[in-house]
Amino acid sequence: MAKGMREIKRQIKSTQNTKQITKAMEMVAAAKLRRAQQAAESARPYADKLKEVVGSIAAGTRGVKHPMLQSREIKKTGYLVITSDRGLAGGYNANVLRKVAAEIKEKHSSPSEYAIFVIGRKGRDFFRKRNMPIVEEVTGLSDSPAFSDIKGIAASAVRNFENGSYDELYLVYNEFKNAISQIPVIKRLLPLDDMSGSAGSNYEYEPSPEGVLEVLLPKYAETLIYSAVLDGKASEFGARMTAMNNATKNATKMISTYTLAYNRARQASITQEISEIVAGANAAQ
């Protein structure tokens, strides 16, 4: 009985230590979430304004042609997948990886029909394990990534579409809604076929509208990728905060269960001792 009580006390102590860790991790994630959410929200107006300018040029210039604006026969598809480097974030990585894996399985019969760009160690390891074709990868992003951190992979993904390595490019990431809601999405980034509805303008562009688009269109696409990365970071910290909160609650329940078991064992031990004392006294009479 004493051995069993010692084991229960050890479990209580171990769970209390785990609870302290998960609670601390929840608080850290909450602090990082606030910064990441602010960064994600701050990036959207710039992307929206850039889209407005690009759309205005494209709509106001007849006959303008650029590979990023033109749809073509789909022979190969590119995917840029955004995950995290670390786990302990609930279903954050699993949800987005499950979604893109299902999309690839449904749309493609051969690895030659698609190419993957991946941000985050979890995504990289997932695709490597399954021998899926990774063109380029980025790992080790900071909690507050700068545009320069993903500029290389963003530019490469856009450039490969422009030069015809694939005929469409999708962004796959967790879209941030709020601290407890992150939605895995697959959004087509290229070609930019949603520009035609923008209002045209009467401005003159130097050296030419085509020349301006040549510079702005890749920047716009890269900005959308960076915005998705920031959204992904906010989603990661929201998911981690929620996961650690749930872990803390579970630890509290386990401690209550262990404490109840300990008290019952202690009660049984005391009852047994009393019974032995009474039995010994009766035997001595």
Side-chain angles (χ1 to χ4, degrees):
M1 182 66 72
K3 183 178 179 181
M5 290 173 63
R6 284 197 299 271
E7 177 63 19
I8 295 173
K9 286 185 73 174
R10 186 192 67 77
Q11 289 175 326
I12 292 174
K13 181 64 176 176
S14 174
T15 308
Q16 286 173 334
N17 291 339
T18 300
K19 180 181 175 180
Q20 289 178 340
I21 293 170
T22 57
K23 186 62 179 178
M25 292 179 69
E26 179 189 349
M27 294 173 66
V28 170
K32 290 181 177 180
L33 170 60
R34 286 191 291 272
R35 292 194 294 270
Q37 185 176 355
Q38 184 178 19
E41 291 172 349
S42 298
R44 288 170 188 160
Y46 176 74
D48 291 342
K49 188 63 179 178
L50 197 54
K51 178 181 179 180
E52 179 186 327
V53 172
V54 171
S56 177
I57 300 172
T61 308
R62 293 182 179 179
V64 64
K65 292 185 178 180
H66 191 283
M68 292 177 66
L69 296 173
Q70 296 175 332
S71 297
R72 52 190 185 238
E73 182 185 355
I74 307 300
K75 297 178 180 178
K76 190 170 183 178
T77 301
Y79 297 92
L80 196 156
V81 185
I82 300 170
T83 63
S84 69
D85 286 322
R86 295 177 290 123
L88 298 177
Y92 172 80
N93 291 300
N95 291 340
V96 78
L97 291 171
R98 190 183 302 117
K99 190 173 185 70
V100 69
E103 179 82 2
I104 289 172
K105 183 177 180 181
E106 180 182 341
K107 289 180 63 174
H108 309 293
S109 58
S110 165
S112 64
E113 295 180 357
Y114 64 92
I116 296 172
F117 295 80
V118 60
I119 296 175
R121 190 170 287 108
K122 289 294 182 179
R124 181 200 66 184
D125 294 348
F126 176 88
F127 295 123
R128 276 187 180 177
K129 185 177 180 181
R130 290 158 179 78
N131 295 317
M132 300 171 80
I134 298 175
V135 177
E136 195 166 330
E137 64 184 65
V138 170
T139 60
L141 284 185
S142 71
D143 293 332
S144 302
F147 177 70
S148 58
D149 296 330
I150 59 93
K151 165 70 175 174
I153 193 170
S156 180
V158 172
R159 185 169 57 250
N160 273 270
F161 172 81
E162 286 189 88
N163 66 25
S165 295
Y166 38 76
D167 307 294
E168 58 182 351
L169 175 64
Y170 285 87
L171 271 175
V172 188
Y173 66 103
N174 280 288
E175 189 173 56
F176 180 79
K177 295 297 183 182
N178 54 55
I180 60 173
S181 178
Q182 305 85 35
I183 302 174
V185 296
I186 298 179
K187 293 185 176 181
R188 192 165 88 155
L189 175 64
L190 295 172
L192 296 166
D193 53 5
D194 61 344
M195 293 295 180
S196 57
S198 301
S201 67
N202 296 319
Y203 296 113
E204 292 185 4
Y205 299 94
E206 294 293 342
S208 66
E210 290 82 357
V212 175
L213 287 177
E214 193 74 30
V215 175
L216 286 186
L217 283 174
K219 287 187 180 298
Y220 173 56
E222 292 166 12
T223 298
L224 291 181
I225 293 172
Y226 179 54
S227 183
V229 169
L230 295 179
D231 235 45
K233 275 295 179 184
S235 296
E236 176 188 345
F237 295 130
R240 182 165 290 116
M241 184 183 75
T242 301
M244 292 302 100
N245 178 264
N246 291 335
T248 300
K249 289 179 180 178
N250 289 337
T252 301
K253 290 179 182 178
M254 289 175 66
I255 291 169
S256 296
T257 301
Y258 289 144
T259 301
L260 181 61
Y262 176 79
N263 289 337
R264 285 177 175 172
R266 186 167 178 270
Q267 180 96 30
S269 177
I270 292 171
T271 301
Q272 182 179 346
E273 288 178 7
I274 292 173
S275 297
E276 291 173 354
I277 291 171
V278 171
N282 290 335
Q285 291 180 356

